[in-house]
Amino acid sequence: MEDTFIATPFKPSAPRFNGPRPGGAGRPASGNAGGRRPVRDDDGLRINEEITASRVRLVGDNIEEQGIYPIAQAMKMADELGLDLVEISAKADPPVCKIIDYQKYLYQQKKKAKEMKSNSAKIVIKEIRFGPNTDEHDFQFKLKHAMEFLQEGSKVKASVFFKGRSILYSDQGEKLLLRFAVELEEYGRAEQMPKLEGKRMIMMIAPVKKK
């Protein structure tokens, strides 16, 4: 036998709301279901009359006695508070719902997403190219540039291009890239070992996060 909690009559903690509902036409708090238009956003949550379950489990700080309620009573409780009944876990048995201001919830979610997008730094990749027989002067010149790129937060893509038969000396290019990574270990870390792609050997170096 299922252990079902039937709550005591609900005592509203806020004044009765008779104004327009968020996302739809207004209706009095008496429970006339024809006056409220269901609202659904990209998150796919069911709201108000979209909820099809006959019973729901109510949770949240604004619920005096959390537990399982008939859908009609849960809807009435939302009306009493001038808020929306939102299904947050449809797969539970019965579905879990909260009584919240749905339009405010959407605003907060969009604001949060916008802040995360603005705070996420765009990854910039700078490429340093070598030949298999790069001399010491050229190596040091490119090493200095790589240090600057890593310090400014960019990734460095170091590559060695092999022309014609020079591909036979790919091990020389590998040694050059490994030395390059060792020289830069204070500024960045190699994300992979040197990798041969066609006529190019590549190694990606990511900047070290500042403490």
Side-chain angles (χ1 to χ4, degrees):
M1 182 176 179
E2 184 181 0
D3 185 13
T4 302
F5 172 74
I6 303 298
T8 57
F10 173 70
K11 296 179 181 180
S13 57
R16 182 180 295 270
F17 179 82
N18 292 318
R21 302 285 302 179
R27 72 168 185 167
S30 59
N32 178 17
R36 176 164 54 185
R37 184 179 66 192
V39 183
R40 179 177 291 203
D41 197 70
D42 293 340
D43 55 16
L45 296 176
R46 289 194 181 99
I47 311 157
N48 301 326
E49 281 82 10
E50 285 189 333
I51 302 171
T52 58
S54 60
R55 301 178 309 153
V56 296
R57 182 181 297 277
L58 285 182
V59 298
D61 296 336
N62 58 351
I63 305 299
E64 291 184 3
E65 295 191 40
Q66 300 183 20
I68 298 173
Y69 291 82
I71 186 65
Q73 188 177 357
M75 294 280 286
K76 183 177 180 182
M77 291 165 69
D79 276 339
E80 294 284 356
L81 292 171
L83 300 173
D84 297 287
L85 185 66
V86 180
E87 187 181 67
I88 61 171
S89 180
K91 293 183 179 180
D93 185 20
V96 180
C97 293
K98 273 189 173 183
I99 294 176
I100 60 175
D101 183 336
Y102 188 64
Q103 292 300 319
K104 184 177 179 181
Y105 164 80
L106 288 181
Y107 171 77
Q108 290 173 338
Q109 291 297 106
K110 289 175 181 177
K111 184 179 178 182
K112 185 178 179 181
K114 187 176 180 180
E115 288 175 351
M116 289 178 66
K117 186 177 180 181
S118 63
N119 291 335
S120 60
K122 185 179 180 181
I123 298 175
V124 177
I125 299 175
K126 301 289 184 71
E127 185 168 6
I128 301 288
R129 298 179 182 179
F130 295 97
N133 298 312
T134 298
D135 61 34
E136 184 64 21
H137 179 269
D138 192 30
F139 180 88
Q140 292 298 331
F141 178 77
K142 292 178 178 179
L143 182 66
K144 183 180 177 182
H145 278 293
M147 289 176 181
E148 292 173 357
F149 295 150
L150 291 168
Q151 284 180 303
E152 68 185 27
S154 301
K155 283 188 176 184
V156 171
K157 182 180 181 181
S159 62
V160 179
F161 182 73
F162 300 97
K163 293 181 180 179
R165 292 176 60 84
S166 66
I167 191 69
L168 298 173
Y169 305 98
S170 60
D171 58 332
Q172 211 169 319
E174 182 178 11
K175 289 176 183 178
L176 187 149
L177 290 179
L178 290 174
R179 179 193 169 193
F180 193 63
V182 170
E183 295 277 3
L184 291 171
E185 61 184 359
E186 185 180 340
Y187 307 92
R189 58 176 180 78
E191 293 187 326
Q192 62 183 37
M193 293 294 289
K195 181 180 179 182
L196 189 62
E197 294 182 355
K199 293 186 177 182
R200 287 197 311 168
M201 184 169 284
I202 296 170
M203 184 173 62
M204 193 73 73
I205 302 174
V208 173
K209 292 183 180 179
K210 297 178 181 179
K211 295 181 179 180

